[in-house]
Amino acid sequence: MTILFVLITVSSFVAGIFLIAFIWAVKSGQFDDSYTPSVRALFDDDVVPENSTPEIKDSSNNENE
């Protein structure tokens, strides 16, 4: 019978910790924007302009110098 009181106490403590963590997450803005993270993977943000091709260095000229 004593184990029931211990389990109820421990489970209430753990539930209180999760409640405090949830309240902290809501107040810090973790759930403010629920749309953007779900579509962020669908859009490619790494658009490279056509004029910005990297220059290829000619390594054969450096060996003669």
Side-chain angles (χ1 to χ4, degrees), residues 25-65:
V26 169
K27 286 187 175 183
S28 67
Q30 294 289 320
F31 300 108
D32 285 348
D33 185 15
S34 62
Y35 178 72
T36 303
S38 64
V39 297
R40 186 177 302 156
L42 300 176
F43 299 110
D44 188 17
D45 292 333
D46 296 333
V47 177
V48 177
E50 293 180 13
N51 294 336
S52 67
T53 56
E55 294 182 20
I56 299 173
K57 290 185 177 181
D58 188 15
S59 63
S60 63
N61 290 339
N62 293 337
E63 293 176 359
N64 295 333
E65 294 178 0

